Amino acid sequence: DQQVKQNSPSLSVQEGRISILNCDYTNSMFDYFLWYKKYPAEGPTFLISISSIKDKNEDGRFTVFLNKSAKHLSLHIVPSQPGDSAVYFCASRYGQNFVFGPGTRLSVLP
Amino acid sequence: DAGVIQSPRHEVTEMGQEVTLRCKPISGHDYLFWYRQTMMRGLELLIYFNNNVPIDDSGMPEDRFSAKMPNASFSTLKIQPSEPRDSAVYFCASRPTGSYGYTFGSGTRLTVV
């Protein structure tokens, strides 16, 4: 039973447009959330995070939104660039470690 | 800072053989995690250590898997005997106390034939 779900295994977006990646979680005790980006043959790298006391966190082109009542978070990338093409994992904090979703492969088309 | 170092990068082995994956965490990071990535399940936590002590190994799939951390700068994940369904990318990650962000290694791609 996956506690963190990313229901879209893949997403294609045109360069310059907005990319929206979604993540749902089931455990209301999760209190911290992160997004990681992974390129082929590399380990995941930290992208952006949000605490459960906030509903939005922004860092340049990346914004994460958290809707606690819906147990849903999303990552917005504006504008999308070809270099953003990667697999994106969302993760929710559980104790001392994080539970990761299965990932969404984003392809930004030039 | 060389980051989290994993070896080997690729491992191809025959079913039934023993496989040992290695990880050197970032100096000063007192948490170390072993994850496995598969197409079906994404990133799964196998085990994590705090100050070299295993804290949660509930993600280790079977007794064929074992992990050790003899000191703060080295950890191993061993599979004995290996099976084709163990084929995956295995990641090691570390973080210091008080930080939420992990630093991942580049992973070991294991293929069991």
Side-chain angles (χ1 to χ4, degrees):
Chain A
D1 179 31
Q2 287 192 334
Q3 297 189 69
V4 178
K5 302 176 183 179
Q6 295 177 256
N7 292 321
S8 298
S10 63
L11 174 68
S12 292
V13 172
Q14 207 70 34
E15 180 180 4
R17 306 295 288 269
I18 184 172
S19 295
I20 301 176
L21 297 99
N22 293 304
C23 178
D24 297 287
Y25 60 95
T26 58
N27 191 337
S28 58
M29 299 301 291
F30 289 150
D31 63 355
Y32 202 84
F33 306 88
L34 299 90
W35 285 92
Y36 278 80
K37 179 168 71 173
K38 183 186 179 304
Y39 292 119
E42 296 182 11
T45 55
F46 170 74
L47 186 59
I48 192 169
S49 64
I50 188 167
S51 165
S52 61
I53 63 174
K54 294 186 175 182
D55 56 16
K56 177 182 175 182
N57 188 27
E58 191 172 352
D59 183 3
R61 297 185 297 114
F62 302 91
T63 303
V64 57
F65 295 92
L66 175 62
N67 182 334
K68 282 183 293 184
S69 61
K71 298 191 182 69
H72 176 85
L73 63 155
S74 61
L75 174 67
H76 293 211
I77 307 173
V78 182
S80 302
Q81 300 174 353
D84 297 329
S85 297
V87 177
Y88 290 79
F89 294 96
C90 71
S92 303
R93 186 170 76 147
Y94 182 78
Q96 290 297 332
N97 69 73
F98 284 84
V99 179
F100 284 80
T104 296
R105 180 177 300 277
L106 173 66
S107 299
V108 180
L109 309 174
Chain B
D1 183 358
V4 176
I5 299 173
Q6 290 186 249
S7 63
R9 287 299 305 272
H10 303 273
E11 176 80 38
V12 180
T13 190
E14 291 185 346
M15 183 174 65
Q17 296 297 307
E18 178 181 296
V19 175
T20 299
L21 312 181
R22 297 173 176 79
C23 175
K24 176 179 169 55
I26 292 174
S27 176
H29 284 196
D30 49 357
Y31 283 89
L32 182 141
F33 304 81
W34 281 100
Y35 281 87
R36 177 171 68 175
Q37 183 191 12
T38 61
M39 289 293 292
M40 294 301 295
R41 300 176 68 89
L43 277 168
E44 297 176 273
L45 176 66
L46 300 177
I47 185 172
Y48 79 93
F49 296 83
N50 179 219
N51 291 322
N52 314 336
V53 176
I55 303 300
D56 183 355
D57 66 353
S58 59
M60 297 285 262
E62 298 171 34
D63 291 344
R64 299 183 296 107
F65 286 68
S66 62
K68 294 181 180 180
M69 192 164 185
N71 56 62
S73 58
F74 184 65
S75 177
T76 59
L77 178 67
K78 185 176 295 186
I79 308 172
Q80 166 64 19
S82 57
E83 297 182 3
R85 60 193 167 118
D86 301 331
S87 298
V89 181
Y90 291 80
F91 288 101
C92 176
S94 70
R95 70 169 178 85
T97 297
S99 169
Y100 295 138
Y102 293 2
T103 300
F104 281 84
S106 298
T108 295
R109 180 174 293 278
L110 173 65
T111 303
V112 183
V113 297

